[in-house]
Amino acid sequence: EVQLLESGGGSVQPGGSLRLSCAASGFTFSSYGMSWVRQAPGKGLEWVSANSGSGETTYYADSVKGRFTISRDNSKNTLYLQMNSLRAEDTAVYYCAKASGYSSGRSEYWGQGTLVIVSS
Amino acid sequence: EIVMTQSPATLSVSPGERATLSCRASQSVSSNLAWYHQKPGQAPRLLIYGASTRATGIPARFSGSASGTEFTLTISSLQSEDFAVYYCQQYNNWPQTFGQGTKVEIK
């Protein structure tokens, strides 16, 4: 059974940093791309970032490019999102999702999310 | 960036009735289109991928179709557990993009 468990959310001041983690199990982690998708309170889904199974290929939404970094440790079956220079508009629930393929594809499975609040 | 436009924003339907949701892409996404639904306080769940293929465990009352850049999700007979927000997503190009969602509510 595929399981994705996010952690690392919390409250941070504008300009601060957080690192989110997503622990994966139930599949061969290094064989699949992974994504981060966020949802601001009461709003829709926004794709944030993705990487390939090896982690060598990465993609970012313009809204986070230069501030967020996606990475993964395939030995630990864990996906990360390093978030720097946080802004109030980054406040959201952050979901990790498993892609259907090595570098892209639909988001087949989702974690339950971790809440990030950026506020002074 | 490909813009995905869903309509209507809200759909009021009685249990047992048919619901038809639309999603339009601003340019071709081939058949790389997925539908998800999301209930309050829960993560999204994949319903349809490849525009018309049901994901594992999804009931047959859910169906998807495509015509060019227009995509449709049909729920043939709404059950109580189907009242939720529905999102389309294109995964043909980076950045992947979602529609703004359609809320299906009880009439």
Side-chain angles (χ1 to χ4, degrees):
Chain A
E1 178 191 6
V2 172
Q3 292 193 341
L4 301 169
L5 184 61
E6 301 95 337
S7 61
S11 189
V12 62
Q13 292 188 338
S17 299
L18 274 179
R19 188 176 83 154
L20 306 183
S21 299
C22 170
S25 61
F27 63 101
T28 304
F29 185 66
S30 59
S31 295
Y32 293 92
M34 297 290 293
S35 290
W36 289 99
V37 177
R38 68 184 180 184
Q39 186 169 37
K43 302 297 184 183
L45 301 172
E46 179 188 15
W47 176 83
V48 173
S49 183
N51 66 9
S52 60
S54 67
E56 290 182 354
T57 304
T58 59
Y59 306 92
Y60 296 95
D62 285 345
S63 58
V64 307
K65 201 172 292 183
R67 300 187 300 124
F68 289 12
T69 302
I70 190 171
S71 63
R72 62 196 294 161
D73 185 338
N74 286 345
S75 69
K76 296 181 178 179
N77 289 350
T78 302
L79 177 73
Y80 302 101
L81 185 68
Q82 177 66 45
M83 305 187 295
N84 298 332
S85 303
L86 283 161
R87 307 167 179 166
E89 54 264 35
D90 296 319
T91 294
V93 174
Y94 285 73
Y95 297 100
C96 67
K98 170 189 173 294
S100 55
Y102 179 79
S103 60
S104 184
R106 61 197 177 270
S107 293
E108 289 187 315
Y109 296 94
W110 299 63
Q112 284 305 302
T114 187
L115 176 61
V116 172
I117 299 173
V118 183
S119 174
S120 55
Chain B
E1 167 175 319
I2 296 175
V3 177
M4 307 300 293
T5 303
Q6 291 186 241
S7 61
T10 303
L11 188 61
S12 298
V13 186
S14 299
E17 289 189 341
R18 183 186 194 90
T20 302
L21 290 68
S22 297
C23 174
R24 173 184 293 177
S26 61
Q27 63 189 76
S28 174
V29 298
S30 188
S31 60
N32 294 314
L33 188 285
W35 290 95
Y36 305 85
H37 73 177
Q38 185 181 33
K39 300 175 186 179
Q42 296 186 18
R45 182 182 181 185
L46 177 66
L47 298 173
I48 299 284
Y49 64 91
S52 61
T53 302
R54 281 190 302 277
T56 303
I58 301 303
R61 64 180 181 272
F62 291 91
S63 62
S65 62
S67 177
T69 58
E70 299 272 354
F71 300 88
T72 300
L73 175 70
T74 301
I75 311 170
S76 59
S77 176
L78 271 158
Q79 306 298 303
S80 57
E81 61 267 30
D82 301 334
F83 292 95
V85 180
Y86 290 77
Y87 296 95
C88 62
Q89 179 206 30
Q90 67 80 18
Y91 51 93
N92 194 63
N93 288 67
W94 299 103
Q96 295 185 352
T97 44
F98 290 91
Q100 78 277 25
T102 291
K103 182 179 181 180
V104 177
E105 64 177 24
I106 300 174
K107 187 174 181 180

